[in-house]
C-alpha cells in the first residue's frame, strides 16, 4: 500500500463538467468543473480540484468535505443560518446533511478532500 500519493497535474486530467449531484442552479448560469485526482484504495475518499463560475447553487451534502479555497470569492449560507463569506486562502469543512446556497461572487477554484464512507 502506498502511504503518500502526490496528486497529478490537472492539465493531464479531463475534468467532469456535469453539475454535482445535489447541486441545483438558483441564480445566473454558473458552470463547474471537477478534477478527481486521487481515489483511496478502499474508495472511501477522493481528492481533487473544483472550479465554478459566477452564479448560485443550492447544495445538499451527503458526505464530509474539507475545502481550501485557492482563488475567488463566495458566500455560503446554510438554510436558516447567517451567511459566511470565504475567499482565497480560507479553509473550511462541510459536514454531511448541509443544505444551503453557494453564491459565487468571483470564479472559484478549490482543493477538496471528500470522505465518501
Amino acid at each position: 500500500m502506498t502511504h503518500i500519493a502526490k496528486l497529478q497535474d490537472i492539465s493531464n486530467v479531463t475534468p467532469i463538467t456535469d453539475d454535482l449531484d445535489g447541486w441545483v442552479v438558483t441564480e445566473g448560469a454558473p458552470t463547474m468543473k471537477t478534477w478527481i485526482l486521487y481515489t483511496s484504495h478502499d474508495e472511501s475518499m477522493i481528492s481533487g480540484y473544483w472550479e465554478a463560475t459566477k452564479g448560485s447553487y443550492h447544495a445538499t451534502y451527503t458526505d464530509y468535505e474539507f475545502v481550501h479555497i485557492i482563488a475567488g470569492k463566495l458566500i455560503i449560507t446554510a438554510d436558516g443560518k447567517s451567511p459566511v463569506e470565504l475567499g482565497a486562502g480560507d479553509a473550511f469543512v462541510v459536514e454531511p446533511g448541509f443544505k444551503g446556497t453557494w453564491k459565487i461572487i468571483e470564479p472559484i477554484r478549490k482543493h477538496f478532500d471528500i470522505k465518501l464512507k
Side-chain angles (χ1 to χ4, degrees), residues 20 31 35-36 47-49 59 63 76 81 86 92 115:
L20 300 172
T31 60
W35 291 265
I36 297 174
S47 297
Y49 291 93
D63 301 308
I76 299 177
K81 303 291 183 183
L86 299 154
F92 59 96
K115 183 179 177 192

Side-chain angles (χ1 to χ4, degrees), residues 6-55:
K6 182 178 178 181
L7 300 183
Q8 53 189 312
D9 186 322
I10 66 172
S11 65
N12 298 322
V13 178
T14 301
I16 300 164
T17 57
D18 296 332
D19 287 350
L20 300 172
D21 289 342
W23 288 61
V24 178
V25 174
T26 58
E27 181 182 333
T31 60
M32 62 173 70
K33 293 180 183 177
T34 306
W35 291 265
I36 297 174
L37 304 178
Y38 174 78
T39 302
S40 64
H41 296 289
D42 64 0
E43 298 184 350
S44 68
M45 186 168 188
I46 60 174
S47 297
Y49 291 93
W50 180 83
E51 291 182 347
T53 59
K54 290 172 62 172

